Structures are given as C-alpha cells and as structure tokens.
Amino acid sequence: GQQLNQSPQSMFIQEGEDVSMNCTSSSIFNTWLWYKQDPGEGPVLLIALYKAGELTSNGRLTAQFGITRKDSFLNISASIPSDVGIYFCAGQRGGSEKLVFGKGTKLTVNP
Amino acid sequence: GAVVSQHPSWVICKSGTSVKIECRSLDFQATTMFWYRQFPKQSLMLMATSNEGSKATYEQGVEKDKFLINHASLTLSTLTVTSAHPEDSSFYICRAYGGTSATTDTQYFGPGTRLTVL
C-alpha cells in the first residue's frame, strides 16, 4: 500500500542537540499525526495536526502541517536520552479512518 | 487518558496451530478497530479494518480466511491467525478508533502482540 516519504531514515545525535524530521506525500491529507514507537511496544501519539499551516507544540516537540497539505515536519529541541526510538508520521484523508504511514525515523541520542 | 490493551503481549506457538489475539478499548467505545502487522525494522502495514457488528474489510494481499477478525462489541476485537506458519511471525498491533470529528477523534494503538511461530 501507499506510504509517505519520511526522512531521514535514521539519526545519530548528541544529547542536547535539536532534531528535525519530515514527511512528504504526492497527495493531500487532512490530518497529520506523529507517533513514537519504543522497541516491543505500540506507537504512542505525540502530536496531531488538523489544519494546513498549523503549528503545534507538545513540550520539546513541535510539529507543523504544511500549507500544501502534502507535508509535515517534527522538531525535537534539546534532545535527551529518552527521546531514543522510532518516529513515524501518518496521514489521514478526510472521510477516511485509515492512516498512511511513513517508514519511520530511528533516533539515537548519545549521552 | 484512553487506553487500548492487547492480550497476549507475546505468544509462541507451533506451526499449524491457531492463535487468537484480543484488542480492547478500556475507556471509550471503538467504532472501528484496525489491525496492523509490523516486521522488524519496518513500518506498520494495515491488514484489515473492522466495524462493530459487521464483516472486516481486508487490505489487498491479506488472506481473510487465514486472519479471522471479529468485532463483536464496541470494546473488543479479536484477530485469529489460523494454521500459523513461521512466516506469520510478526508484531501485531491494533488501533482502536472512536469518533466522528477530525478534532475529537479518539484513536489509540494497543501495545502490540509479538507472535513467534516455530
């Protein structure tokens, strides 16, 4: 099935650095979601975006819904070791309950 | 907050046996349950969508007779892997969805079930 283009595939950073990852699509989505998945667990919702141009924060996390509705980015500021995990973006079209996922960004934070 | 549980969290079975995985929404009514499969180092792949009281809709390439889904109530859906084979070994995750508005939708993933078929 369709997947979103998520980049980078992996990141290795030092504790305290900022992180940025993004997702793009060739088609429009009405909702963008960002999830974090720890090993052996289900994804946990970090931020949900519902309007084009919307910028939403959740603690050190900030995400934006692109104006074209075809992209979104997630920023993590001042990373800490517990930020380690795989981050997935997901898009949802209007009238559909299905989610289309990116392939994930694996984040490693070195103390 | 809302919680979705899955049982069991992990299971090991012999090839040819059937395994049932339960997904429960604990504090909201899930009108729709989604079942995903995730292989190591890969993203989540949707297997099927089920609405309470009706037959599940399977994604292309997913065998409906092998992966039986039942959504008998608004808080419980089950996935049964019939005649399991080693290639069915994977991480199975459910997502419970309840709501009618994009801004009030409630949708949460379960913690996943690790299936290993010997």
Side-chain angles (χ1 to χ4, degrees):
Chain A
Q2 180 190 2
Q3 280 193 313
L4 301 175
N5 300 312
Q6 185 172 349
S7 64
Q9 187 174 3
S10 62
M11 301 182 74
F12 297 84
I13 63 170
Q14 293 296 124
E15 183 176 359
E17 290 182 353
D18 297 342
V19 172
S20 183
M21 59 191 79
N22 70 84
C23 269
T24 61
S25 170
S26 58
S27 57
I28 290 172
F29 288 97
N30 289 67
T31 302
W32 283 90
L33 304 164
W34 285 92
Y35 291 89
K36 178 176 183 276
Q37 186 179 27
D38 292 326
E41 298 184 14
V44 174
L45 182 64
L46 299 173
I47 294 180
L49 302 159
Y50 301 107
K51 295 181 181 179
E54 179 181 356
L55 184 70
T56 299
S57 294
N58 178 8
R60 293 177 296 105
L61 278 61
T62 302
Q64 184 158 29
F65 191 144
I67 290 291
T68 64
R69 292 197 284 162
K70 294 182 180 181
D71 63 305
S72 176
F73 72 74
L74 174 71
N75 287 341
I76 305 173
S77 62
S79 60
I80 58 178
S82 60
D83 291 334
V84 165
I86 300 179
Y87 292 80
F88 290 100
C89 63
Q92 186 173 10
R93 294 190 174 87
S96 173
E97 299 164 346
K98 290 185 179 181
L99 295 180
V100 179
F101 282 91
K103 291 189 175 182
T105 296
K106 184 177 180 180
L107 178 63
T108 302
V109 180
N110 297 314
Chain B
V3 177
V4 175
S5 69
Q6 279 185 241
H7 178 80
S9 55
W10 59 270
V11 56
I12 301 173
C13 69
K14 293 182 179 180
S15 184
T17 61
S18 294
V19 175
K20 180 185 284 188
I21 301 170
E22 293 185 349
C23 176
R24 294 181 184 272
S25 58
L26 300 183
D27 57 2
F28 69 98
Q29 293 187 325
T31 52
T32 307
M33 293 277 200
F34 301 86
W35 286 95
Y36 297 82
R37 181 167 50 182
Q38 185 178 34
F39 292 108
K41 298 184 180 181
Q42 293 189 23
S43 187
L44 289 79
M45 297 304 296
L46 180 65
M47 300 175 66
T49 303
S50 72
N51 293 296
E52 183 263 340
S54 60
K55 289 184 178 180
T57 302
Y58 290 81
E59 295 299 301
Q60 192 173 9
V62 178
E63 301 175 57
K64 62 179 182 180
D65 294 329
K66 180 171 184 62
F67 298 99
L68 302 178
I69 292 173
N70 182 278
H71 192 168
S73 77
L74 287 172
T75 59
L76 174 63
S77 176
T78 60
L79 167 67
T80 301
V81 183
T82 62
S83 186
H85 291 284
E87 58 266 29
D88 297 324
S89 298
S90 188
F91 194 52
Y92 291 86
I93 310 173
C94 67
R95 177 168 72 99
Y97 181 98
T100 57
S101 163
T103 57
T104 59
D105 284 350
T106 301
Q107 47 180 319
Y108 295 90
F109 283 90
T113 297
R114 172 73 60 191
L115 170 63
T116 301
V117 184
L118 302 177

